[in-house]
Amino acid sequence: MTGPVLVAIVGGTILTVGPQGTIEKGAVLIRDGKIAAVGRDLLVPAGATVIDATGRYVMPGIIDCHSHTAIEESVNECSDSVTAEVRITDVIDHRDVNLYRELAGGVTTLNVLHGSCNTIGGQNAVIKLRWGKPPEELLFKDAPRGIKFALGENPKRSNFRAPGPPRYPATRMGVEAVLRESFQEAQAYKREWEEYEKKVKSLGSRGDKPIAPRKSLRLEELKDILDGKVYVHAHCYRADEILMLIRIAEEFSFKIRTFQHVLEGYKVASEIARHGAGASTFSDWWAYKMEAYDAIPYNAAIMAAHGVKVSMNSDSDELARRLYWEAAKAVKYGGVSEVEALKMVTLNPAWQLGIEQRVGSIEVGKDADIAIFSAHPFAPDARVEQTLVDGVVYFDRAKDVAARTAPATKAGGSP
Amino acid sequence: MRAPVVALVMLVPAMATAADVVAIRGGRIVTVSGPVIEKGTVVVSGGKITAVGAAVEVPAGATVIDASGQTVYPGLIDGLTTLGLTEIGSVAGSVDTTETGDVNPHAEAWIAVNPHSELLPVARANGITAALAAPAGGLISGQSALLRLAGSTPAALTVKTPVAMHMVYPTGRPAFDISRLFEEPELKTFEERQKDKKKSQEKDLKRLANLLEEAKAYGAAQAAAKAGRIPPPKPDLPMEALAPVARGEVPVVMRVDAEDDIRGAVKFAEEHGLKLIVAGGLDAWRVADLLKQKDVAVLASVERLPRRESDPYDAAYANPAALHRAGVRFAIVSDDASQSRNLPYEAAMARAYGLDAGAALRAITLSPAEIFGVGDRMGAITVGRDADLFVATGDIMDPRSGVTHVLVGGQEQSLETRHTRLYEEFKKRP
Amino acid sequence: MSPEAARRGLAVAAMAALWARPAAAPAARTEVYALVGARIVTVSGPTLDNATLVMRDGVIEAVGAGVPVPPDARTIRADGLVLTPGLIDGFSGTGLPAPASRGPGAGGATAAPPSSPLAPQAMALDKVRVADALKARDAGITTVLVIPREGVLPGQSVILNLSGDKAEAMALKQPAALHLHMSTLARQYPGSLMGTVAYARQSLDDAIHYRDEWAAYERAPAGKKRPRYDAALAAWQDVLAGREMLVVTAFRENDVRRALAIADEFRIKVAVAGAPQAFRLADLIKARKVPLLVGVNFDPPRPARAFGGVLGDEEKERRDIEDAERNPSELHKAGVSFALVSAYAPNFLAGVRKAIERGLPREAALRAVTLGAAEALGIADRTGSLEPGKIADVVAWAGDPLTKDAKAKMVFVDGQLYEPEEPAPSPSPKAEGGGQ
C-alpha cells in the first residue's frame, strides 16, 4: 500500500490568481494531485518530491477556451447546418504533438471545439493535457457538456465556394432561421417524448406498452440545450448577430454560456453582461475577414469593464503556446490590471467551462495544474520551465533539452 | 515606363524650418548601434537626427517631447509584410498581393500600395515605422519595396524600390488553395507522392533557371542596344525586371523553409550568380553554418509551429538565437500585415529562447535595414540617420508597454487608429 | 444385365463421355488425390518430411508419413515440394471491380456502377467477378474474404473458396460479416470521423428501434400503424442479436478504441481489420480478445493535397509506414493472435514478406495466413490447416513458402486441382509479378 504522492514547489513567486493574491518566495504543497497548502514558510513533508522554483514564477495552468488541438481528421462535420449529434470526445487524438507543445506554453486544459462550419455544430470535449495517456484519460472528468454554435461568415460560407448544390443558409437571416427551426423541432421532439412517458406511466404494468418515439441523437442534444444541460459556446463576430443569438436564447429559455471570438462584443457589452454570458476572444487579431474589420484590441477591456467574464483564447495550435502574452495585452490595451489579465487565461475560462471549482487558480482543494515560468509570465523574456497537471510534471524544459540529440538544438538552445 | 532600377525617394524637403525641429528629452535612449544612453536627448531636424546624447541641449524653438521615465527607440522595421497590399484577407477586392500566373517579376509592390490602409496606422502606433511590402505567391512573385509608414501617396511612402525580387522555392507540393478545399483529392501512395514531388520540383527549378538565363541574355541585348551595336530588343517587361536579378545586382528573397530546399536554394543561387536572402527559413538552424559560409541572410518569423513532429518544440523560437550564434545575418519579421504591430513580441519570443536582448532588438531595427541596403540611414539612433523614432513606456518587447510618441521622417505622427476611434466611441456606451 | 456387364458398360460409357468432351481444358474429374513424398507443413501440428496427403471429395482424408495411397487415388509425386494449407486472405477486394475513378468517362469498361457508401444490406457476393477472383490462386491463395473498400458501410462480406465458376457455389460463409470502414465521405454525411461514429451510433439506435417496433407489431398488430420495411435496418439485426460480427476497418490507433466503444455501447461482437498501429494497443486487444485482421497494405494511397499543414512532415509519414511494417512483428512479440490480410494491398504476399523482413518469424507469418486467419474469421473448424476432416485447400510450393522465389506449383481448392501458369520471365530481377 503506497502512501500519498507528495510534491512541493518551493521558493518561487506564486501568482495564485485567488484570494491569497501574489506570494513571494512561497510554496505550493501538492498531495495526490490536489493542492494541499499554499503560502510562505510551509513545511515540506518528508518524502515529497521538491521542485525548486527559486527566482521563478508559479501560476495556475493556462486554460484555452477555444481549441481544435488533438482532433482526429476533420474539425468540422460540414455536410449539414445542424450536426448536434457529432462528438469531439469520439475523435480525441492523444498523440497530437501539439498537446505537448502547448504544455510547453503553460497550458493544462483545453476546450476542444467543433469547427465553425455549421450554425449548430457538435459537442465539445474538455481535456487536460496529460500527455502520453490514452484518449479516455485526457477527458476532464465531470466537466459540464458543451456544444458549438457558429454565426456569420463561416456557417454561411461567404468566403469559399463549396462544390455541389449550395447549402442553406447563405445570409445571417438564414442563420437565425436555422436556429429558430432547430429549436422548434427540438420542442416538438421534447413534447413527443413527454407524451410517450406520460402514456407509459398511465398504463403502468398493464396493457400493451406503446413504442417509444425514434431516438434522434441530434434532437436529443438540442432538447438537452433547451433543458439547460449543455453549455452553448457560440462563435460570433458582429454585434447584431450577438444580439440575435441573445434574443433566440431568451425566446427558447436557454442561456449562452460563452460568446466565442465575439470581436464586436465591445459594442454590446452590457447586453452580454445582462444575459450572463462569458466572452472568449482574441487579444488583437483583426482584418482577416469582413466581420473582423471592426475588431479592436480593447475588446477584452471594454467587456470586462461591463462585468463580462472575459477569457483570451487561441483557436490555433500555434497561438495556444503563447497565451500568457495574449493576456498581457489586456494590460496594454485598456489598462486591465495584471491580476485581472491573468484571470483571462486561468480563472475566467475555468468559470466559462464550469470547472472553476477544480482549476483556474492555485487554491487549496483545487487540482494541481500549474505552470512554472522563468520570469513573470508577462515579462519579455519569460518562458515556461515546467508544467504540471494533477501534480504530475508533464513538461520539463531541462529534461526536454537534455534529451535532444541534434547538437544545434542543444548548444545554447538551453538555459 | 518604370523608374530606374534603384530609386530612392526623399520624404521631406532638404530645407528645415524651425517647426521641423523636435527634441525628445529625458528618456532612456536605445541607439541599437551603440551603448544605451540612460538619460539623454535626441534632436531631429529636417527629417534627420541631428543630435543624440546625455548632454545634448534642446535647441530654441524646438517642439519638446518629454520622455522622462520612458524609452526612446529607433523606429522598428518589419522586414517582410504585405502592408499596404492587403486590407481584409478574405475580401478579394481589397487584396493585391498575388498576381495571376506563376511568373510576375515585373509586379512591383509600391505600385499597388494603399497609403490609406487602416493597417498602416495600426502598425505605426506600436512603433513600426518602416516595412518591406512584398508581393507573394507563384514562382516569381514580384518586387518588394521598403515603405515608410507615413505619407499620402505611394511615392511618398516608398523609401526604396526595388528592394528585392521575391520568389518561392518550388517545394514540389501543391500550394494551399481555399477554393479547392472540398475537392476530392487524388489518392497516391507515399512513394508515388515523393516521386511526383521530386519531378515537379525539378521541373520548376528548370523553368526558373531558363527564365534567369533568358533574362541575362535580354539584359545583355539591352546594353548592346544602348551602345548602339544592335537594334533594341522587343519590349518585355518580365525580362527587363529579371535582368538585374540575373546579373546579381538586385537580391532575391526566396521563400523556403525545409532543410533540403534551403540547401537547394543556396546551390541554385550560387549556380546562377544570385544574391540570396532566405524568407521563412524555418529549418535555417539546421544549415546555419552553410548560410554563414555563403553569406545568406534570413528573414525569420518566429511564431510558427515546428515542421516535424520530431523537431524540438521551440524550433522556430530558438531559430534566431541559433543563427546569431553561427554569425548568420538575420531579421525577425511578422510576415503578415494586420499582425505587424506584434513584431516586438516576435523578437521577445526569440529573446526568451536564447537570443540576447540587444540582438533581438537589432533584428527588428538595424539588421533589416542593413539587409535591404539602407543600414547607413535607418535602423539606429545616430546623427545623420532618418528621424524615425518612437517613445515607449517601457521595454517595447514587453507586451504591457505602450507607445506614447512616434516620429516618421522627423514628423510626429498621430497615434489615432481605427481601433482607438472605435475604443473611444464604445467605451462610453453604457 | 449382369453387374459386371453393367459396370463395364458404365466404364465404357464413362470413357466415351470422356472422349466426347470438348477440346477445351478438361475439368479435373479426379475426386481423390494423393500427394506423395512432400514436406508437409500442417500448421496445426509438427511439420512432416517425406509424407503423404490424401484428399477425397474436397476433404482431407489423411496426412502422415506412412499414410497408404488409396487405390482410386490419382497419385502425384511431390518430391522437393512443400505442402501448406491454402493461403487465406481474410480482408480483401479480390474479384471486385476497381472503384470508378473520379471524373466522367474515367472508369472504362471495367468500372463498376457507383454503389451507395451507406448500405449495410449490400452483399459483396453480388459484386464478385469470378474470373478475376480466381486469379488469386496463382499466388497460392485459396480462400478470401471480400468486401468493397469504398464507403463507410460497404455492406456484408462473403468468404469465398476459390474453385468452380459460380460465385454462389464458392461462398464458404455468406454473409461473413457486416462492415464499417472508419473513413469519411466526400460530399455527404458523414464527412468527418466524428460524423462516421455518430452515424454508426444512430444506425444502431435505429436498428434497435426497428427491432422493437416490428416485434411489438408482430405480437399484436391490431390497431397499430404498420411499420415500414427498411433493408438497411433489417441488415443490422443479426449484428444486434450477436449472430453476426461487425468488422471495423481501423486506419488509426484510436479506430481500434472506437470499435471497442461501439461494441461496449451496443453489446455487439466486433473484429478489427487493417489496424496498422495495433501494436500500441496490444494489451487492450489481448484483454478484450478482439479478432484482429492485420493489414499488410503499408503504404496505402492517400489524398495528395496540401491542406492540413502546408509544409508536411514526410519524416513522420515514413515513420508511420515503418511502424505499420513492424506492426505484425510487434504484435507477435506481445503474444497477440492475429490474421495477416492484404487490406487491399496490391500484392498480398509481398506485404507478408515485408512483415517477415521487419521481424515477424516466418512460421508465425504462415500461421497468420492460414490457421490464424481461419481462427480470426471463425472458420477454423473447417479449414486453415492440413488435418483430416478439413476442407482440401492445399498448396504445393516449389521453394520455401513465403520467400521471394517460392512458386505455387499446384493449388487445390475444395480438392480441385489448379496449376498456375509459369509467369513470363520478368525483365528486371526486382520486378514483382502480380500475385506472387
Side-chain angles (χ1 to χ4, degrees), chain B residues 229-240:
Chain B
R229 298 209 304 274
I230 54 171
K234 222 166 72 164
D236 187 331
L237 287 179
M239 285 295 114
E240 202 175 306

Side-chain angles (χ1 to χ4, degrees), chain A residues 192-206:
Chain A
E192 205 189 339
W193 274 89
E194 281 167 356
E195 265 158 43
Y196 162 75
E197 260 130 34
K198 218 173 14 183
K199 212 185 276 180
V200 167
K201 222 185 212 153
S202 70
L203 284 172
S205 53
R206 60 182 166 81

Side-chain angles (χ1 to χ4, degrees), chain A residues 46-113:
Chain A
T49 306
V50 175
I51 296 176
D52 182 7
T54 312
R56 296 186 164 170
Y57 282 72
V58 180
M59 67 171 273
I62 291 173
I63 299 170
D64 188 353
C65 207
H66 192 120
S67 171
H68 302 299
T69 304
I71 296 180
E72 290 206 83
E73 303 298 311
S74 182
V75 165
N76 280 291
E77 176 52 65
C78 279
S79 53
D80 203 319
S81 281
V82 178
T83 54
E85 73 283 3
V86 305
R87 302 176 191 174
I88 295 290
T89 46
D90 284 338
V91 290
I92 290 290
D93 180 3
H94 64 300
R95 296 212 188 266
D96 184 349
V97 69
N98 288 310
L99 290 171
Y100 180 74
R101 292 170 181 160
E102 288 168 31
L103 274 169
V107 181
T108 53
T109 295
L110 298 177
N111 182 21
V112 187
L113 291 169

Side-chain angles (χ1 to χ4, degrees), chain A residues 111-379:
Chain A
N111 182 21
V112 187
L113 291 169
H114 185 281
S116 53
C117 211
N118 307 336
T119 305
I120 300 179
Q123 304 166 35
N124 71 346
V126 180
I127 65 172
K128 283 211 193 189
L129 277 59
R130 299 179 184 112
W131 176 244
K133 298 264 187 273
E136 60 274 12
E137 287 182 43
L138 295 184
L139 299 178
F140 195 117
K141 195 156 170 291
D142 300 327
R145 292 157 58 191
I147 192 157
K148 176 75 173 287
F149 285 11
L151 313 178
E153 290 178 33
N154 287 12
K156 71 184 184 82
R157 296 187 165 177
S158 309
N159 300 319
F160 53 88
R161 184 83 189 83
R167 186 191 72 166
Y168 187 93
T171 70
R172 287 182 166 87
M173 300 182 290
V175 170
E176 194 264 14
V178 169
L179 287 166
R180 185 176 293 283
E181 277 168 16
S182 300
F183 286 108
Q184 281 175 348
E185 220 185 310
Q187 283 176 331
Y189 180 79
K190 187 173 167 184
R191 275 194 299 275
E192 205 189 339
W193 274 89
E194 281 167 356
E195 265 158 43
Y196 162 75
E197 260 130 34
K198 218 173 14 183
K199 212 185 276 180
V200 167
K201 222 185 212 153
S202 70
L203 284 172
S205 53
R206 60 182 166 81
D208 204 6
K209 268 223 179 62
I211 289 296
R214 174 184 175 260
K215 184 165 109 182
S216 157
L217 294 170
R218 184 172 292 184
L219 291 172
E220 283 290 323
E221 190 67 13
L222 295 180
K223 176 163 82 77
D224 285 351
I225 294 171
L226 288 177
D227 290 342
K229 294 181 184 164
V230 181
Y231 282 176
V232 174
H233 300 293
H235 153 127
C236 57
Y237 280 78
R238 278 236 305 253
D240 53 286
E241 67 197 6
I242 295 167
L243 294 177
M244 178 277 283
L245 187 57
I246 292 175
R247 242 186 356 256
I248 288 277
E250 287 173 358
E251 179 181 327
F252 288 92
S253 306
F254 66 91
K255 276 230 169 331
I256 304 300
R257 185 69 178 181
T258 67
F259 290 100
Q260 297 272 335
H261 307 328
V262 62
L263 297 191
E264 286 191 11
Y266 67 93
K267 295 184 183 176
V268 287
S270 47
E271 286 90 337
I272 295 173
R274 210 175 309 133
H275 181 76
S280 190
T281 189
F282 299 130
S283 70
D284 61 9
W285 282 11
W286 73 294
Y288 49 99
K289 285 191 283 185
M290 194 63 222
E291 60 193 1
Y293 199 42
D294 273 7
I296 62 176
Y298 307 91
N299 192 27
I302 292 177
M303 289 194 291
H306 281 79
V308 177
K309 271 219 177 45
V310 179
S311 67
M312 297 283 199
N313 68 44
S314 74
D315 195 5
S316 153
D317 293 347
E318 196 284 309
L319 184 58
R321 309 170 300 159
R322 310 182 275 112
L323 281 172
Y324 45 96
W325 281 349
E326 296 305 291
K329 288 177 190 170
V331 174
K332 176 183 171 74
Y333 296 111
V336 170
S337 75
E338 285 195 9
V339 174
E340 286 307 311
L342 264 179
K343 283 194 186 153
M344 288 180 177
V345 290
T346 53
L347 201 51
N348 288 358
W351 176 88
Q352 291 174 347
L353 297 174
I355 52 179
E356 74 278 15
Q357 301 298 319
R358 297 267 308 272
V359 289
S361 55
I362 300 181
E363 293 183 67
V364 172
K366 288 201 174 180
D367 298 353
D369 293 354
I370 287 169
I372 302 174
F373 282 75
S374 61
H376 188 284
F378 294 172

Side-chain angles (χ1 to χ4, degrees), chain C residues 164-361:
Chain C
D165 52 9
K166 284 201 170 36
E168 274 176 14
M170 287 198 230
L172 178 51
K173 189 165 181 202
Q174 163 58 18
L178 197 145
H179 288 256
L180 168 66
H181 292 322
M182 283 301 203
S183 45
T184 59
L185 302 179
R187 283 184 207 162
Q188 62 180 105
Y189 187 85
S192 64
L193 193 57
M194 54 189 164
T196 298
V197 176
Y199 187 88
R201 196 180 276 127
Q202 184 70 67
S203 298
L204 281 157
D205 273 344
D206 286 346
I208 291 170
H209 186 259
Y210 184 81
R211 174 194 69 195
D212 295 344
E213 204 182 22
W214 272 98
Y217 189 74
E218 294 297 347
R219 261 197 315 271
K224 287 197 183 73
K225 181 173 175 196
R226 68 176 178 92
R228 294 290 181 265
Y229 174 72
D230 183 319
L233 295 180
W236 279 106
Q237 297 307 313
D238 281 341
V239 170
L240 269 184
R243 288 189 293 266
E244 188 177 2
M245 186 84 84
L246 173 68
V247 177
V248 178
T249 310
F251 300 97
R252 315 157 191 89
E253 179 188 336
N254 288 334
D255 288 338
V256 178
R257 293 192 161 96
R258 283 184 270 273
L260 292 173
I262 292 173
D264 291 343
E265 188 176 342
F266 294 95
R267 285 193 282 271
I268 58 178
K269 295 204 187 88
V270 294
V272 170
Q277 304 275 325
F279 71 94
R280 299 187 193 279
L281 296 168
D283 292 338
L284 180 62
I285 292 167
K286 259 198 325 203
R288 297 287 301 259
K289 296 195 177 52
V290 185
L292 191 58
L293 308 169
V294 175
V296 297
N297 193 4
F298 304 124
D299 182 9
R302 269 188 259 263
R305 70 173 156 197
F307 188 54
V310 177
L311 299 179
D313 188 352
E314 280 147 11
E315 195 190 74
K316 177 173 201 302
E317 268 208 86
R318 221 171 239 123
R319 232 182 6 250
D320 286 346
I321 292 172
E322 281 164 13
D323 280 350
E325 289 171 351
R326 66 187 183 93
N327 184 31
S329 158
E330 295 297 321
L331 286 168
H332 175 74
K333 273 190 235 162
V336 179
S337 337
F338 58 92
L340 274 181
V341 300
S342 67
Y344 313 105
N347 189 325
F348 182 31
L349 289 194
V352 174
R353 286 197 296 273
K354 179 63 90 174
I356 294 171
E357 202 186 313
R358 294 284 185 245
L360 181 66

Side-chain angles (χ1 to χ4, degrees), chain B residues 173-176 181 183-191 193-194 197 257 282 304 307-310, chain C residues 102 186-187 299-308 310-319 321:
Chain B
R173 252 178 256 99
F176 175 58
L181 187 59
E183 248 181 44
E184 274 180 72
E186 249 194 291
L187 299 178
K188 293 197 159 175
T189 66
F190 178 69
E191 294 306 329
R193 277 178 278 126
Q194 291 300 97
K197 172 187 155 186
D257 281 311
L282 190 46
R304 306 178 69 184
R307 276 195 74 226
R308 303 168 193 76
E309 193 184 83
S310 64
Chain C
R102 284 176 314 287
R187 283 184 207 162
D299 182 9
R302 269 188 259 263
R305 70 173 156 197
F307 188 54
V310 177
L311 299 179
D313 188 352
E314 280 147 11
E315 195 190 74
K316 177 173 201 302
E317 268 208 86
R318 221 171 239 123
R319 232 182 6 250
I321 292 172

